[in-house]
Amino acid sequence: MVQLSRGVVAAGLGLLAYSSAAMAKESSAKPIVADGTFFALNGENVSYRIHVDNATGDLLGDHFGGPVGADIPLEAVGEVNGWDSHIGRVRREFPDQGRGDFRIPAIRIRQSAGYTVSEFQYKSHKVIPGKPALPGLPSTFGTEEDVSTLVISLYDKYSDVGADLSYSIFPKHDAIVRSVNVTNHGKENITIETLASLSVDLPFEELDMISLRGDWAREAHRERERITYGIQSFGSSTGYSSHQHNPFLALAEPSATESHGEVWGFSLVYTGSFSVSVEKGSQGFTRALLGFNPGQLSWTLSPGETLTSPECVSVYSKDGLGGMSRSLHRLYRNHLIKSKFATSDRPTLLNSWEGLVFTYNQSTIYDLAKEAAEVGAKLFVLDDGWFGKEYPRLSDETGLGDWTPNPDRFPDGLEPIVKKITDLNVANSSEKLRFGIWFEPEMVSPNSTLYNEHPDWALHAGPYPRTERRNQLVLNLALPEVQDYIIKSVSDILNSADITYVKWDNNRGIHEMPSPSTNHAYMLGMYRVFDELTTQFPDVLWEGCASGGGRFDPGVLQYFPQIWTSDNTDAVDRISIQLGTSLVYPPSAMGAHLSEVPNQQTGRTVPVTFRGHVAMMGGSFGLELNPAEVPEEEKAALPGLIALAEKVNPIVLTGDMWRLSLPEDSNWPAVLFIAEDGQKAVLFVFQLSPNIDHSWPRVRLQGLDAQASYKIDEGVVYSGGTLMNIGLQFPFKGDYGSQVVMLEKQ
């Protein structure tokens, strides 16, 4: 016996399918087709199909993958035996709890009476040109030509709770973005204990799950494992997106590689604690959910109030993990990052931290800035230690929260030293040196004027001890007065001098919260601060940092076009970290710097050229050293490396990235960037260990025009077909060899 959730039996064929005249005519012509209770979202290489089960009112998934026709074969539901009821055997779009679907739910609501049963049924839908912004949350954006939105309204008549599921399709990027609004239409308070931004059930088939794991100084390591029956999950409970796990998930067929096979990518646009869960249920379907961390939610909704989930971006690729990454990169460059610097004007910078740490004064800062200008850097960044009056920031034990220039170091404030630095001429350039500064505004030192005046502004849980990390506490950005203080403090400094860059740091997780809901309230406050400051200072280049990559997430990228990828600047480690990060985030968003050796984190010594080449693969190239203290031959190499970085930077900022070989798979990692118009490309090739008495592999390029010709480094010309099917060889001597090759289409 076979049950149909909705469908007809095709005469003589025994196929389960639904058919619709509107679907047949328009399914491939429009981004969104809504015909009665059948819905289709169409991209250039993706189809997403859902429908309403007329018998139950449940919203069911039919297909998420490559383009399909109007007739969709529906899942055959076998005879219901055992403990799973019918709804536990179908692919649900918004699985609730308590009625026979024993898989993980997308929503769990605790009613005032204490029960957690819900029954959401289809109510209505609407199609919206373009895409509305999310209230208080970062979100993707676009014109009516870029994106269309389908909103499906569900309603639980027993609790008077509504849920609006928003699906936005970016056809050119094969991206579907989903978020959920939950509204309490009843008369009693309810508590949202679980809410996933996206829930999708995929058919019965073998799949792998891929995530990014790590810790401080070893972020973004790929983790790939076969999905087995049961629940596999990861997430963050640190209060932020974290070093340990990134809010990203990929599902892939087991044979999928960088270049081939079906891959589904999911990226949560959120900076707070999150949860990713994947369950292969007893019927074989794979359910994936991304959203709030249930342990840090418990969000109360009074009558009439609404909770909006962060949005989750999903993309489909038939061209492996590389195709998934390029879709996400293009979407985020063009439809997530709001800054005018998203794809341009990233000056080579020199940061004072590794060169001076806390030991400096006005004179040594000027000397370091002068050295930066002489080697060709165009931006000097004054890092930690410039502030604090009653509690001067001479180490990491004092001063956070007191954003006043240290009068001993800067007796006349910042303006005179900034003016002196920005009057410096940059070598080999007609430009003057720019000035940037470091902040950590979300934190407070117990040894500070701010903490003495407002101890209750620090996050704490009643009588429990306030746990310090790096001798600091976290300010409660859920409080409007804290938000206002940060906005004013940062604004006052930026208005005081010609400051055109800010490094916004965050150096600890959140330990004690007064309630689980504080985490999301904090995020809403933080996003308000980010939005107001970046709107007020649009000509400032903002960089996010959280002990490196502790908050490398799409929520931060909405406001800050670049993020410090890792505190680990070891070039060998950085290849893995940067390529792992690129699985979801565009290289244009990565801060990557050439630092001194032996490296401060690993103690490894790597040639300066290798270090520079690795750093060039990030959108923001810079230096973490004191040029006056590096060996003369290294200092002599810096101007040439800076010039090369500036040459390749436009391609890295706007081009497509092809990971040709990975450091975990090969001794010869290689990456190709191809300009948006296809006219130029830059190839990075590395050798990690010596290759003694052996031939060298050929690096086969990808993504070129097979029929076109390409000039290599202004010399020999090869066809695109030759470069992709035969490739190039690079003989290296010893370990840590590297080469950067420019290609130009003829």
Side-chain angles (χ1 to χ4, degrees):
M1 177 179 179
V2 174
Q3 290 187 356
L4 308 185
S5 50
R6 176 169 176 150
V8 296
V9 178
L13 296 177
L15 298 177
L16 301 176
Y18 67 69
S19 181
S20 156
M23 287 281 187
K25 184 178 180 180
E26 301 181 287
S27 61
S28 62
K30 289 186 175 182
I32 296 176
V33 180
D35 181 39
T37 52
F38 300 107
F39 308 100
L41 290 86
N42 303 300
E44 292 182 356
N45 301 287
V46 67
S47 290
Y48 195 102
R49 300 296 176 86
I50 51 184
H51 76 277
V52 177
D53 185 331
N54 282 348
T56 65
D58 207 0
L59 188 63
L60 303 182
D62 299 313
H63 175 72
F64 180 20
V68 296
D71 294 338
I72 303 292
L74 294 184
E75 296 287 347
V77 181
E79 184 176 2
V80 178
N81 291 314
W83 290 6
D84 266 333
S85 62
H86 176 79
I87 62 172
R89 298 165 180 265
V90 292
R91 295 164 57 188
R92 307 178 68 201
E93 283 291 295
F94 193 59
D96 46 25
Q97 180 169 328
R99 298 184 295 110
D101 184 353
F102 297 113
R103 295 167 291 179
I104 45 178
I107 186 168
R108 182 171 64 248
I109 300 174
R110 179 163 45 84
Q111 307 290 343
S112 59
Y115 44 78
T116 57
V117 178
S118 296
E119 184 173 342
F120 285 99
Q121 298 182 341
Y122 170 80
K123 181 181 179 183
S124 62
H125 71 271
K126 59 183 177 181
V127 176
I128 303 171
K131 180 178 182 293
L134 298 187
L137 288 167
S139 58
T140 51
F141 57 85
T143 67
E144 295 181 8
E145 295 180 353
D146 301 318
V147 59
S148 303
T149 301
L150 167 69
V151 179
I152 299 178
S153 296
L154 308 177
Y155 196 76
D156 181 348
K157 63 185 178 182
Y158 302 101
S159 64
D160 288 326
V161 176
D164 293 332
L165 278 55
S166 175
Y167 299 81
S168 296
I169 173 80
F170 289 85
K172 292 182 180 178
H173 302 284
D174 297 323
I176 296 161
V177 182
R178 207 185 89 168
S179 62
V180 182
N181 282 345
V182 179
T183 303
N184 181 6
H185 297 285
K187 298 179 180 179
E188 303 288 340
N189 288 353
I190 61 173
T191 301
I192 311 298
E193 296 185 335
T194 294
L195 182 59
S197 300
L198 177 139
S199 174
V200 62
D201 287 347
L202 294 178
F204 171 39
E205 58 186 50
E206 294 299 315
L207 292 171
D208 289 352
M209 62 180 286
I210 302 167
S211 60
L212 296 174
R213 62 161 182 86
D215 210 314
W216 175 79
R218 52 180 175 84
E219 298 90 338
H221 286 247
R222 292 192 193 196
E223 189 77 8
R224 182 167 183 165
E225 57 186 315
R226 184 64 48 84
I227 298 172
T228 59
Y229 283 90
I231 298 173
Q232 296 109 86
S233 64
F234 61 88
S236 170
S237 58
T238 68
Y240 307 113
S241 47
S242 85
H243 299 82
Q244 286 88 340
H245 296 284
N246 197 271
F248 160 77
L249 168 72
L251 302 179
E253 58 182 3
S255 60
T257 65
E258 274 289 323
S259 305
H260 304 285
E262 288 192 300
V263 177
W264 295 260
F266 307 94
S267 177
L268 187 68
V269 185
Y270 193 55
T271 311
S273 293
F274 70 92
S275 175
V276 174
S277 296
V278 178
E279 180 178 11
K280 190 168 186 176
S282 63
Q283 296 292 311
F285 297 142
T286 296
R287 173 171 291 176
L289 301 98
L290 295 88
F292 292 114
N293 182 327
Q296 296 181 3
L297 186 58
S298 294
W299 194 269
T300 299
L301 285 183
S302 299
E305 291 185 338
T306 297
L307 173 63
T308 300
S309 80
E311 67 181 29
C312 184
V313 174
S314 60
V315 299
Y316 166 78
S317 167
K318 61 180 175 55
D319 298 319
L321 290 162
M324 174 204 70
S325 296
R326 287 185 289 277
S327 290
L328 287 167
H329 295 175
R330 295 184 201 118
L331 181 75
Y332 283 171
R333 285 197 306 263
N334 297 295
H335 299 289
L336 176 71
I337 303 172
K338 288 185 174 181
S339 170
K340 75 176 196 177
F341 299 100
T343 55
S344 65
D345 193 15
R346 304 288 185 85
T348 297
L349 66 84
L350 185 145
N351 185 287
S352 70
W353 179 250
E354 288 199 21
L356 298 176
V357 192
F358 287 108
T359 307
Y360 61 80
N361 56 34
Q362 198 163 244
S363 297
T364 54
I365 285 296
Y366 178 76
D367 290 343
L368 183 59
K370 188 177 178 182
E371 289 279 349
E374 288 175 353
V375 297
K378 294 183 177 178
L379 169 64
F380 175 77
V381 180
L382 177 59
D383 208 280
D384 200 353
W386 58 267
F387 52 91
K389 188 175 181 181
E390 291 85 3
Y391 299 87
R393 181 75 165 176
L394 305 180
S395 70
D396 65 9
E397 297 179 355
T398 60
L400 282 179
D402 299 345
W403 301 108
T404 302
N406 180 337
D408 293 328
R409 287 181 168 173
F410 304 102
D412 299 314
L414 290 177
E415 198 279 333
I417 185 64
V418 172
K419 177 67 168 59
K420 191 175 179 181
I421 288 173
T422 55
D423 278 342
L424 289 168
N425 294 312
V426 176
N428 305 313
S429 170
S430 60
E431 297 184 32
K432 297 287 188 179
L433 190 63
R434 308 184 206 180
F435 184 88
I437 200 164
W438 177 96
F439 284 98
E440 194 172 359
E442 298 166 65
M443 302 291 156
V444 63
S445 301
N447 294 318
S448 67
T449 302
L450 178 65
Y451 188 77
N452 286 334
E453 293 178 353
H454 300 285
D456 286 345
W457 282 11
L459 280 169
H460 62 283
Y464 287 92
R466 303 183 181 195
T467 307
E468 296 179 26
R469 288 289 297 143
R470 202 179 181 242
N471 305 302
Q472 63 195 55
L473 300 170
V474 184
L475 290 172
N476 186 357
L477 269 73
L479 302 175
E481 56 268 33
V482 173
Q483 301 164 29
D484 293 340
Y485 176 82
I486 293 173
I487 292 169
K488 184 178 187 306
S489 298
V490 175
S491 298
D492 286 348
I493 293 297
L494 295 183
N495 284 322
S496 72
D498 185 15
I499 300 170
T500 56
Y501 165 99
V502 167
K503 179 180 178 181
W504 186 292
D505 210 344
N506 181 303
N507 281 303
R508 60 158 291 176
I510 299 174
H511 291 185
E512 293 87 23
M513 295 187 199
S515 70
S517 62
T518 300
N519 184 226
H520 185 52
Y522 181 108
M523 286 300 118
L524 294 175
M526 185 194 74
Y527 290 138
R528 182 212 159 199
V529 170
F530 286 1
D531 184 62
E532 293 211 11
L533 285 171
T534 55
T535 300
Q536 185 179 347
F537 297 97
D539 296 327
V540 170
L541 172 58
W542 300 80
E543 176 173 287
C545 177
S547 300
R551 293 201 310 200
F552 208 123
D553 62 70
V556 170
L557 285 180
Q558 174 94 104
Y559 310 98
F560 301 165
Q562 62 188 50
I563 298 173
W564 181 230
T565 316
S566 176
D567 279 349
N568 185 348
T569 57
D570 179 283
V572 177
D573 284 356
R574 264 303 189 105
I575 296 177
S576 294
I577 292 170
Q578 290 172 207
L579 294 192
T581 303
S582 77
L583 202 59
V584 55
Y585 302 107
S588 62
M590 296 183 206
H593 298 171
L594 187 166
S595 65
E596 64 184 3
V597 291
N599 183 265
Q600 289 188 3
Q601 287 76 36
T602 67
R604 181 159 33 203
T605 296
V606 176
V608 66
T609 301
F610 188 101
R611 285 176 272 151
H613 290 169
V614 172
M616 289 175 202
M617 294 193 295
S620 176
F621 176 82
L623 308 176
E624 294 272 344
L625 46 76
N626 185 341
E629 296 180 357
V630 301
E632 191 57 40
E633 61 182 35
E634 287 198 7
K635 183 176 180 180
L638 293 179
L641 289 170
I642 291 173
L644 180 59
E646 292 180 348
K647 184 177 181 180
V648 306
N649 189 247
I651 303 174
V652 173
L653 284 179
T654 64
D656 282 334
M657 179 187 197
W658 300 76
R659 294 179 294 263
L660 304 179
S661 59
L662 302 175
E664 56 263 44
D665 299 330
S666 171
N667 188 46
W668 295 275
V671 178
L672 179 68
F673 293 89
I674 302 177
E676 198 169 21
D677 61 5
Q679 294 302 305
K680 294 183 178 181
V682 56
L683 172 67
F684 294 85
V685 184
F686 304 93
Q687 176 171 284
L688 301 181
S689 300
N691 186 45
I692 301 172
D693 193 23
H694 200 283
S695 63
W696 288 271
R698 292 186 179 272
V699 180
R700 294 186 182 184
L701 279 56
Q702 299 179 35
L704 301 178
D705 181 348
Q707 306 305 316
S709 296
Y710 293 86
K711 183 181 287 187
I712 309 298
D713 277 344
E714 302 180 356
V716 65
V717 175
Y718 296 110
S719 73
T722 297
L723 292 170
M724 291 190 290
N725 295 315
I726 296 180
L728 300 171
Q729 282 183 306
F730 298 94
F732 293 109
K733 292 183 178 180
D735 51 9
Y736 310 136
S738 63
Q739 191 160 339
V740 176
V741 179
M742 301 296 299
L743 292 82
E744 187 167 356
K745 194 174 183 181
Q746 301 300 293

